[in-house]
Amino acid sequence: MAVKKDSVTYLGLLKEIKAKKFRPIYVLHGEEGYYIDKLEEAIVENALSPDERDFNLNVIYGIDVTDMRNVISMCRQYPAMSQYQVVVIREAQNVGKMNNKGNANELNQLKHYAAQPLGSTILVVCNKNGAIGGKDFVDAVKKNNAGVVFRSDKLREGRAVEMAALEYVKTLGCSIDEKALSMIASNVGNDISRLYTEIDKLTILVKDDKSITPELIERNIGISKDYNNFELEQALANRNAKKAFEIINYYEKNPKANPTVMTVSMLFGYFSKLLIYRTLMGKSQSELMAALGTKSTFRVNKIAEASRYYSTAACVNIITWIRECDIKSKGIGSRQDANALLRELVYKILNA
């Protein structure tokens, strides 16, 4: 799903910015640069018209900040013939490096501005190299309710990617079913830029019902609606060996479209949830949904069906085999072909 830190999400923050509801200070930091770039871009586009940017947009790179007092002075200036001025500090991890003052110490000088920011200035501090330094400054932003601190973490594989895709599809006024969601997530992985780009393409092609279907994906992205990780998951859930090995055969013939690492990640997530379900059998539907990290009753019901075929002990063994397959497929302790390892893993699962 889209990243959620400090009670804000990327899509929620983007919606707020497009509605021109601006915060005085935005601290955007983390390892997923896509969200940071898009939020900075949205702030500039929505706060200033192209004509206003010549006099009211100041973009500064961290390496050029030798004295934060100059930046603070800039922030305290009033806009010229515009409602706002925007001050952007990019690559904040490099602030203070030129004069050896130290990143955190120099950034912390902004705490004085955060104590009383100017309402007509929008300050955007971007750090795409992990967590930002300057704890005093960040704390001041939070304490004084002077803005928002958004941490942009990379998506994990599997269900997190599906949830991010689902949220984005909804913001575009479209719908998508479980199978189509799995097809996109499995094929694209956690490259959030590519994920959103592929969804954008599909939403242009949807029919009047605004629904993204497996057929639409197959026609326009080139992912088979019959041979994909969603179908493999369902085949294993029902111990359908014939279908499972048909899919594995297809994967071996189309390795680029079906990377083993994505399939192994999917299997780990699925059987981990199946194990959780078996330990919580008898709980209410809402409790199960919370434990499994899903809002879909369809998903819970499918896992419940699979629990008839796999015991708790079988799930534990399968998770161990999946871990072993993952390590070996990366060349650790084995020279066996990744497809052969996956075929062996599927055989073990079906006979667990």
Side-chain angles (χ1 to χ4, degrees):
M1 62 188 290
V3 180
K4 185 175 183 179
K5 295 287 181 181
D6 300 309
S7 300
V8 293
T9 66
Y10 163 69
L11 293 174
L13 204 51
L14 188 62
K15 182 179 179 181
E16 180 181 292
I17 291 166
K18 288 183 176 179
K20 300 186 183 298
K21 296 177 181 178
F22 302 112
R23 318 273 186 122
I25 300 174
Y26 292 86
V27 180
L28 312 174
H29 67 133
E31 295 181 349
E32 181 49 77
Y34 177 85
Y35 291 131
I36 295 171
D37 287 341
K38 286 298 182 180
L39 288 171
E40 179 201 322
E41 180 183 298
I43 291 166
V44 172
E45 287 185 354
N46 287 277
L48 301 172
S49 69
D51 292 339
E52 291 172 335
R53 292 170 202 171
D54 289 339
F55 297 102
N56 297 291
L57 174 61
N58 293 285
V59 179
I60 311 156
Y61 285 84
I63 196 70
D64 297 323
V65 179
T66 56
D67 191 335
M68 191 58 75
R69 288 176 297 182
N70 294 331
V71 177
I72 293 173
S73 177
M74 184 184 297
C75 290
R76 294 205 180 282
Q77 294 175 7
Y78 287 94
M81 296 175 289
S82 173
Q83 184 177 359
Y84 297 105
Q85 72 154 337
V86 179
V87 178
V88 179
I89 303 177
R90 291 179 181 165
E91 300 175 7
Q93 67 270 16
N94 295 324
V95 164
K97 281 189 176 180
M98 284 293 286
N99 58 1
N100 298 314
K101 285 188 177 181
N103 170 271
N105 289 337
E106 197 64 20
L107 273 174
N108 277 333
Q109 298 306 308
L110 282 172
K111 69 182 181 182
H112 303 296
Y113 177 72
Q116 195 172 3
L118 195 65
S120 57
T121 294
I122 302 172
L123 171 62
V124 188
V125 183
C126 305
N127 191 120
K128 293 192 288 186
N129 199 35
I132 196 168
K135 183 178 182 299
D136 292 350
F137 162 54
V138 172
D139 287 347
V141 172
K142 295 177 181 178
K143 178 182 177 182
N144 297 296
N145 198 26
V148 62
V149 179
F150 174 78
R151 178 155 179 165
S152 176
D153 292 326
K154 284 190 175 296
L155 287 177
R156 294 170 295 174
E157 303 286 356
R159 196 63 182 168
V161 179
E162 291 184 16
M163 293 308 296
L166 178 61
E167 287 182 11
Y168 187 59
V169 168
K170 287 181 177 178
T171 66
L172 298 175
C174 295
S175 63
I176 184 169
D177 64 29
E178 286 274 344
K179 181 174 179 178
L181 199 59
S182 177
M183 288 169 67
I184 291 178
S186 297
N187 182 262
V188 174
N190 64 346
D191 183 339
I192 195 68
S193 176
R194 186 181 165 210
L195 181 69
Y196 285 178
T197 299
E198 295 291 2
I199 291 172
D200 286 338
K201 291 178 188 175
L202 292 168
T203 55
I204 295 172
L205 300 167
V206 293
K207 295 182 179 179
D208 294 340
D209 62 358
K210 298 288 186 180
S211 177
I212 297 175
T213 64
E215 291 75 19
L216 185 71
I217 293 170
E218 184 177 46
R219 286 196 306 270
N220 296 284
I221 300 183
I223 308 170
S224 171
K225 67 180 176 62
D226 297 314
Y227 302 108
N228 54 71
N229 282 342
F230 182 87
E231 293 295 332
L232 178 60
E233 177 186 290
Q234 295 306 303
L236 292 175
N238 297 309
R239 288 195 185 272
N240 186 338
K242 181 177 182 294
K243 179 65 174 179
F245 283 113
E246 282 179 358
I247 295 170
I248 296 302
N249 290 337
Y250 178 84
Y251 283 6
E252 289 180 350
K253 295 175 183 176
N254 301 272
K256 290 185 178 179
N258 304 93
T260 300
V261 64
M262 295 298 298
T263 303
V264 171
S265 175
M266 177 279 292
L267 291 173
F268 180 79
Y270 181 72
F271 281 98
S272 295
K273 283 182 169 54
L274 186 52
L275 178 59
I276 291 171
Y277 178 86
R278 288 203 59 84
T279 61
L280 296 175
M281 290 174 70
K283 297 288 185 180
S284 68
Q285 186 86 329
S286 59
E287 288 174 314
L288 289 169
M289 289 169 68
L292 296 172
T294 180
K295 297 179 180 179
S296 169
T297 55
F298 171 85
R299 188 74 174 168
V300 175
N301 292 336
K302 283 294 182 182
I303 291 174
E305 289 176 17
S307 70
R308 297 179 299 171
Y309 296 100
Y310 295 94
S311 66
T312 301
C315 289
V316 171
N317 289 333
I318 289 169
I319 290 170
T320 300
W321 298 331
I322 292 171
R323 289 182 182 277
E324 291 173 353
C325 180
D326 180 52
I327 292 171
K328 289 179 179 179
S329 68
K330 294 171 182 173
I332 302 172
S334 174
R335 294 183 179 179
Q336 197 172 357
D337 178 74
N339 287 313
L341 287 166
L342 182 58
R343 180 178 290 275
E344 179 184 342
L345 174 61
V346 168
Y347 176 82
K348 286 181 176 179
I349 291 172
L350 289 167
N351 291 277

PDB file of all heavy atoms in Angstrom, residues 107-123:
ATOM      1  N   LEU A 107      20.612  21.734   9.726  1.00  0.00           N
ATOM      2  CA  LEU A 107      19.165  21.591   9.531  1.00  0.00           C
ATOM      3  C   LEU A 107      18.397  22.033  10.765  1.00  0.00           C
ATOM      4  O   LEU A 107      17.304  22.590  10.659  1.00  0.00           O
ATOM      5  CB  LEU A 107      18.814  20.141   9.201  1.00  0.00           C
ATOM      6  CG  LEU A 107      18.870  19.715   7.731  1.00  0.00           C
ATOM      7  CD1 LEU A 107      18.628  18.214   7.614  1.00  0.00           C
ATOM      8  CD2 LEU A 107      17.845  20.466   6.893  1.00  0.00           C
ATOM      9  N   ASN A 108      18.946  21.776  11.913  1.00  0.00           N
ATOM     10  CA  ASN A 108      18.260  22.120  13.159  1.00  0.00           C
ATOM     11  C   ASN A 108      18.040  23.618  13.320  1.00  0.00           C
ATOM     12  O   ASN A 108      17.199  24.035  14.118  1.00  0.00           O
ATOM     13  CB  ASN A 108      19.029  21.569  14.366  1.00  0.00           C
ATOM     14  CG  ASN A 108      18.707  20.108  14.627  1.00  0.00           C
ATOM     15  OD1 ASN A 108      17.620  19.639  14.288  1.00  0.00           O
ATOM     16  ND2 ASN A 108      19.638  19.387  15.218  1.00  0.00           N
ATOM     17  N   GLN A 109      18.780  24.421  12.568  1.00  0.00           N
ATOM     18  CA  GLN A 109      18.559  25.868  12.629  1.00  0.00           C
ATOM     19  C   GLN A 109      17.159  26.232  12.145  1.00  0.00           C
ATOM     20  O   GLN A 109      16.609  27.277  12.516  1.00  0.00           O
ATOM     21  CB  GLN A 109      19.615  26.597  11.777  1.00  0.00           C
ATOM     22  CG  GLN A 109      21.044  26.399  12.240  1.00  0.00           C
ATOM     23  CD  GLN A 109      21.238  26.756  13.700  1.00  0.00           C
ATOM     24  OE1 GLN A 109      20.854  27.861  14.135  1.00  0.00           O
ATOM     25  NE2 GLN A 109      21.811  25.852  14.460  1.00  0.00           N
ATOM     26  N   LEU A 110      16.581  25.347  11.324  1.00  0.00           N
ATOM     27  CA  LEU A 110      15.225  25.598  10.821  1.00  0.00           C
ATOM     28  C   LEU A 110      14.165  25.494  11.912  1.00  0.00           C
ATOM     29  O   LEU A 110      13.008  25.861  11.689  1.00  0.00           O
ATOM     30  CB  LEU A 110      14.893  24.624   9.693  1.00  0.00           C
ATOM     31  CG  LEU A 110      15.486  24.941   8.313  1.00  0.00           C
ATOM     32  CD1 LEU A 110      15.233  23.777   7.356  1.00  0.00           C
ATOM     33  CD2 LEU A 110      14.912  26.231   7.745  1.00  0.00           C
ATOM     34  N   LYS A 111      14.542  24.981  13.083  1.00  0.00           N
ATOM     35  CA  LYS A 111      13.562  24.885  14.174  1.00  0.00           C
ATOM     36  C   LYS A 111      13.076  26.276  14.576  1.00  0.00           C
ATOM     37  O   LYS A 111      11.929  26.436  15.018  1.00  0.00           O
ATOM     38  CB  LYS A 111      14.166  24.169  15.380  1.00  0.00           C
ATOM     39  CG  LYS A 111      15.262  24.940  16.105  1.00  0.00           C
ATOM     40  CD  LYS A 111      15.848  24.145  17.270  1.00  0.00           C
ATOM     41  CE  LYS A 111      16.932  24.951  17.990  1.00  0.00           C
ATOM     42  NZ  LYS A 111      17.541  24.170  19.093  1.00  0.00           N
ATOM     43  N   HIS A 112      13.932  27.275  14.399  1.00  0.00           N
ATOM     44  CA  HIS A 112      13.541  28.643  14.757  1.00  0.00           C
ATOM     45  C   HIS A 112      12.462  29.152  13.797  1.00  0.00           C
ATOM     46  O   HIS A 112      11.541  29.861  14.201  1.00  0.00           O
ATOM     47  CB  HIS A 112      14.766  29.567  14.728  1.00  0.00           C
ATOM     48  CG  HIS A 112      15.878  29.111  15.629  1.00  0.00           C
ATOM     49  ND1 HIS A 112      15.747  29.039  16.993  1.00  0.00           N
ATOM     50  CD2 HIS A 112      17.134  28.671  15.336  1.00  0.00           C
ATOM     51  CE1 HIS A 112      16.875  28.593  17.529  1.00  0.00           C
ATOM     52  NE2 HIS A 112      17.730  28.361  16.542  1.00  0.00           N
ATOM     53  N   TYR A 113      12.589  28.788  12.530  1.00  0.00           N
ATOM     54  CA  TYR A 113      11.554  29.178  11.563  1.00  0.00           C
ATOM     55  C   TYR A 113      10.278  28.377  11.796  1.00  0.00           C
ATOM     56  O   TYR A 113       9.168  28.923  11.705  1.00  0.00           O
ATOM     57  CB  TYR A 113      12.052  28.952  10.127  1.00  0.00           C
ATOM     58  CG  TYR A 113      10.993  29.271   9.097  1.00  0.00           C
ATOM     59  CD1 TYR A 113      10.628  30.598   8.835  1.00  0.00           C
ATOM     60  CD2 TYR A 113      10.322  28.267   8.414  1.00  0.00           C
ATOM     61  CE1 TYR A 113       9.631  30.902   7.913  1.00  0.00           C
ATOM     62  CE2 TYR A 113       9.333  28.555   7.486  1.00  0.00           C
ATOM     63  CZ  TYR A 113       8.985  29.880   7.246  1.00  0.00           C
ATOM     64  OH  TYR A 113       7.993  30.183   6.344  1.00  0.00           O
ATOM     65  N   ALA A 114      10.423  27.086  12.125  1.00  0.00           N
ATOM     66  CA  ALA A 114       9.251  26.227  12.356  1.00  0.00           C
ATOM     67  C   ALA A 114       8.425  26.695  13.544  1.00  0.00           C
ATOM     68  O   ALA A 114       7.233  26.394  13.640  1.00  0.00           O
ATOM     69  CB  ALA A 114       9.694  24.774  12.561  1.00  0.00           C
ATOM     70  N   ALA A 115       9.059  27.431  14.451  1.00  0.00           N
ATOM     71  CA  ALA A 115       8.332  27.938  15.623  1.00  0.00           C
ATOM     72  C   ALA A 115       7.295  28.977  15.219  1.00  0.00           C
ATOM     73  O   ALA A 115       6.262  29.132  15.878  1.00  0.00           O
ATOM     74  CB  ALA A 115       9.314  28.542  16.624  1.00  0.00           C
ATOM     75  N   GLN A 116       7.537  29.680  14.097  1.00  0.00           N
ATOM     76  CA  GLN A 116       6.588  30.704  13.631  1.00  0.00           C
ATOM     77  C   GLN A 116       6.753  30.893  12.112  1.00  0.00           C
ATOM     78  O   GLN A 116       7.260  31.912  11.650  1.00  0.00           O
ATOM     79  CB  GLN A 116       6.829  32.031  14.359  1.00  0.00           C
ATOM     80  CG  GLN A 116       5.676  33.009  14.201  1.00  0.00           C
ATOM     81  CD  GLN A 116       5.852  34.234  15.091  1.00  0.00           C
ATOM     82  OE1 GLN A 116       6.858  34.381  15.775  1.00  0.00           O
ATOM     83  NE2 GLN A 116       4.855  35.097  15.092  1.00  0.00           N
ATOM     84  N   PRO A 117       6.296  29.928  11.339  1.00  0.00           N
ATOM     85  CA  PRO A 117       6.457  30.022   9.882  1.00  0.00           C
ATOM     86  C   PRO A 117       5.543  31.089   9.285  1.00  0.00           C
ATOM     87  O   PRO A 117       4.487  31.399   9.838  1.00  0.00           O
ATOM     88  CB  PRO A 117       6.063  28.627   9.397  1.00  0.00           C
ATOM     89  CG  PRO A 117       5.115  28.120  10.435  1.00  0.00           C
ATOM     90  CD  PRO A 117       5.609  28.687  11.740  1.00  0.00           C
ATOM     91  N   LEU A 118       5.942  31.643   8.163  1.00  0.00           N
ATOM     92  CA  LEU A 118       5.159  32.651   7.472  1.00  0.00           C
ATOM     93  C   LEU A 118       4.046  31.972   6.688  1.00  0.00           C
ATOM     94  O   LEU A 118       4.287  31.007   5.957  1.00  0.00           O
ATOM     95  CB  LEU A 118       6.070  33.453   6.530  1.00  0.00           C
ATOM     96  CG  LEU A 118       5.536  34.770   5.984  1.00  0.00           C
ATOM     97  CD1 LEU A 118       5.339  35.782   7.114  1.00  0.00           C
ATOM     98  CD2 LEU A 118       6.509  35.341   4.953  1.00  0.00           C
ATOM     99  N   GLY A 119       2.833  32.466   6.804  1.00  0.00           N
ATOM    100  CA  GLY A 119       1.684  31.829   6.160  1.00  0.00           C
ATOM    101  C   GLY A 119       1.720  31.861   4.647  1.00  0.00           C
ATOM    102  O   GLY A 119       1.109  31.017   3.990  1.00  0.00           O
ATOM    103  N   SER A 120       2.446  32.819   4.076  1.00  0.00           N
ATOM    104  CA  SER A 120       2.498  32.947   2.615  1.00  0.00           C
ATOM    105  C   SER A 120       3.688  32.201   2.003  1.00  0.00           C
ATOM    106  O   SER A 120       3.878  32.243   0.785  1.00  0.00           O
ATOM    107  CB  SER A 120       2.559  34.424   2.213  1.00  0.00           C
ATOM    108  OG  SER A 120       3.671  35.053   2.813  1.00  0.00           O
ATOM    109  N   THR A 121       4.478  31.521   2.827  1.00  0.00           N
ATOM    110  CA  THR A 121       5.619  30.740   2.337  1.00  0.00           C
ATOM    111  C   THR A 121       5.343  29.247   2.519  1.00  0.00           C
ATOM    112  O   THR A 121       4.878  28.822   3.580  1.00  0.00           O
ATOM    113  CB  THR A 121       6.916  31.100   3.090  1.00  0.00           C
ATOM    114  OG1 THR A 121       7.279  32.447   2.777  1.00  0.00           O
ATOM    115  CG2 THR A 121       8.062  30.174   2.697  1.00  0.00           C
ATOM    116  N   ILE A 122       5.621  28.487   1.489  1.00  0.00           N
ATOM    117  CA  ILE A 122       5.551  27.024   1.581  1.00  0.00           C
ATOM    118  C   ILE A 122       6.980  26.504   1.484  1.00  0.00           C
ATOM    119  O   ILE A 122       7.624  26.618   0.431  1.00  0.00           O
ATOM    120  CB  ILE A 122       4.689  26.425   0.449  1.00  0.00           C
ATOM    121  CG1 ILE A 122       3.278  27.008   0.495  1.00  0.00           C
ATOM    122  CG2 ILE A 122       4.653  24.907   0.565  1.00  0.00           C
ATOM    123  CD1 ILE A 122       2.424  26.614  -0.708  1.00  0.00           C
ATOM    124  N   LEU A 123       7.487  25.969   2.574  1.00  0.00           N
ATOM    125  CA  LEU A 123       8.848  25.435   2.622  1.00  0.00           C
ATOM    126  C   LEU A 123       8.788  23.920   2.431  1.00  0.00           C
ATOM    127  O   LEU A 123       8.073  23.232   3.158  1.00  0.00           O
ATOM    128  CB  LEU A 123       9.510  25.770   3.961  1.00  0.00           C
ATOM    129  CG  LEU A 123      10.867  25.089   4.234  1.00  0.00           C
ATOM    130  CD1 LEU A 123      11.914  25.502   3.198  1.00  0.00           C
ATOM    131  CD2 LEU A 123      11.345  25.426   5.657  1.00  0.00           C
TER     132      LEU A 123
END
